Amino acid sequence: MSPLQTTDIDMPPLAGGAPRRLLVMLHGAGSSPGRIVTAAIAWQLKFRSARAVLLAAPHIGTESVAPASRRYWVDPGEYPVRAASVRHEADRLVERITALQHEDELGCPQTLVVGFSQGASVALELAFAPTQVAAVVVGFAARLYRIPVDGDQVPAMIHLVHGRLDSVVPVIHGETALRRLGRVNAAATLDILEEAGHSVNQDQLNVATQRVMQTVFAARRARGAQRLH
């Protein structure tokens, strides 16, 4: 099991050289960047020119709620979680991701955001932000807290992956997210793995990376571009 890590983890491209893509990863509630290093490596094996940055959530646990070493995107004392709190954290992430993009002279088209559980909910909200920072958003066990309204726009491609046996974030939340995204004509997919639970396993990673590779290569064919992935 990967250790808890309470600061951001920055992983350079496996291919070496300057990053050609930015992979931003958001861990789940009560977790940390250190817990998703293995998943980040799995993504980099498919996108070898990508710099992976595993961001640490801003809120820490308290003795009455959870150990202080665990991180949360929304104050762990807030229950139930409010949509406004998720939106606030997504707005803050825009600045963090934009700063990373400036470091590598990359932009929205070269950026991929992957979130897990509560991190996935923030990633989905990020896709609604007025300032778009990612071309593709992936959510494992995601819940979309926002109820979309007329005028909402989601330019990013959204890929949702959910375990049928997830007892922490039941699969109905994934299905609801897909329906809500459909209301604003967002391009989105949902893959439900029948034997999977809340923990992300290799099958889920395989499905998600395959979805994103198809999206990326389809976009390249449309542009007629030939670039290292």
Side-chain angles (χ1 to χ4, degrees), residues 22 35 39 43 53 112 139:
L22 177 63
R35 291 291 179 89
W43 280 93
V53 182
L112 164 65

PDB file of all heavy atoms in Angstrom, residues 22 35 39 43 53 112 139:
ATOM      1  N   LEU A  22       0.152  17.374 -19.812  1.00  0.00           N
ATOM      2  CA  LEU A  22       0.051  17.537 -18.360  1.00  0.00           C
ATOM      3  C   LEU A  22      -1.066  16.646 -17.833  1.00  0.00           C
ATOM      4  O   LEU A  22      -2.211  16.746 -18.286  1.00  0.00           O
ATOM      5  CB  LEU A  22      -0.229  18.995 -18.003  1.00  0.00           C
ATOM      6  CG  LEU A  22      -0.430  19.300 -16.510  1.00  0.00           C
ATOM      7  CD1 LEU A  22       0.842  18.982 -15.717  1.00  0.00           C
ATOM      8  CD2 LEU A  22      -0.832  20.766 -16.310  1.00  0.00           C
ATOM      9  N   ARG A  35      -1.122   7.824  -2.197  1.00  0.00           N
ATOM     10  CA  ARG A  35      -1.965   6.649  -2.398  1.00  0.00           C
ATOM     11  C   ARG A  35      -2.306   6.400  -3.863  1.00  0.00           C
ATOM     12  O   ARG A  35      -2.844   5.346  -4.196  1.00  0.00           O
ATOM     13  CB  ARG A  35      -3.262   6.801  -1.590  1.00  0.00           C
ATOM     14  CG  ARG A  35      -3.057   6.721  -0.074  1.00  0.00           C
ATOM     15  CD  ARG A  35      -2.670   5.312   0.350  1.00  0.00           C
ATOM     16  NE  ARG A  35      -2.441   5.192   1.769  1.00  0.00           N
ATOM     17  CZ  ARG A  35      -3.373   4.899   2.673  1.00  0.00           C
ATOM     18  NH1 ARG A  35      -4.627   4.726   2.270  1.00  0.00           N
ATOM     19  NH2 ARG A  35      -3.080   4.802   3.945  1.00  0.00           N
ATOM     20  N   ALA A  39      -1.393   4.368  -9.616  1.00  0.00           N
ATOM     21  CA  ALA A  39      -2.309   4.718 -10.708  1.00  0.00           C
ATOM     22  C   ALA A  39      -1.667   5.725 -11.658  1.00  0.00           C
ATOM     23  O   ALA A  39      -1.839   5.634 -12.881  1.00  0.00           O
ATOM     24  CB  ALA A  39      -3.610   5.280 -10.136  1.00  0.00           C
ATOM     25  N   TRP A  43      -0.974   5.493 -15.826  1.00  0.00           N
ATOM     26  CA  TRP A  43      -1.320   6.488 -16.839  1.00  0.00           C
ATOM     27  C   TRP A  43      -0.094   6.912 -17.632  1.00  0.00           C
ATOM     28  O   TRP A  43      -0.150   7.062 -18.858  1.00  0.00           O
ATOM     29  CB  TRP A  43      -1.970   7.705 -16.175  1.00  0.00           C
ATOM     30  CG  TRP A  43      -3.409   7.485 -15.855  1.00  0.00           C
ATOM     31  CD1 TRP A  43      -3.933   7.028 -14.677  1.00  0.00           C
ATOM     32  CD2 TRP A  43      -4.521   7.682 -16.735  1.00  0.00           C
ATOM     33  NE1 TRP A  43      -5.299   6.930 -14.774  1.00  0.00           N
ATOM     34  CE2 TRP A  43      -5.692   7.332 -16.011  1.00  0.00           C
ATOM     35  CE3 TRP A  43      -4.639   8.131 -18.043  1.00  0.00           C
ATOM     36  CZ2 TRP A  43      -6.963   7.407 -16.576  1.00  0.00           C
ATOM     37  CZ3 TRP A  43      -5.910   8.218 -18.605  1.00  0.00           C
ATOM     38  CH2 TRP A  43      -7.048   7.855 -17.876  1.00  0.00           C
ATOM     39  N   VAL A  53       1.189  15.349 -12.161  1.00  0.00           N
ATOM     40  CA  VAL A  53       1.221  16.094 -10.909  1.00  0.00           C
ATOM     41  C   VAL A  53       0.048  15.638 -10.058  1.00  0.00           C
ATOM     42  O   VAL A  53      -1.114  15.784 -10.452  1.00  0.00           O
ATOM     43  CB  VAL A  53       1.157  17.619 -11.144  1.00  0.00           C
ATOM     44  CG1 VAL A  53       1.243  18.351  -9.812  1.00  0.00           C
ATOM     45  CG2 VAL A  53       2.284  18.066 -12.068  1.00  0.00           C
ATOM     46  N   LEU A 112      -4.965  16.778 -19.109  1.00  0.00           N
ATOM     47  CA  LEU A 112      -5.895  15.716 -18.718  1.00  0.00           C
ATOM     48  C   LEU A 112      -6.018  15.729 -17.204  1.00  0.00           C
ATOM     49  O   LEU A 112      -5.008  15.745 -16.501  1.00  0.00           O
ATOM     50  CB  LEU A 112      -5.355  14.370 -19.204  1.00  0.00           C
ATOM     51  CG  LEU A 112      -5.931  13.078 -18.611  1.00  0.00           C
ATOM     52  CD1 LEU A 112      -7.394  12.935 -18.990  1.00  0.00           C
ATOM     53  CD2 LEU A 112      -5.125  11.875 -19.110  1.00  0.00           C
ATOM     54  N   GLY A 139     -13.342  10.559 -14.352  1.00  0.00           N
ATOM     55  CA  GLY A 139     -13.812  10.439 -12.978  1.00  0.00           C
ATOM     56  C   GLY A 139     -14.050   8.991 -12.586  1.00  0.00           C
ATOM     57  O   GLY A 139     -14.883   8.309 -13.188  1.00  0.00           O
TER      58      GLY A 139
END
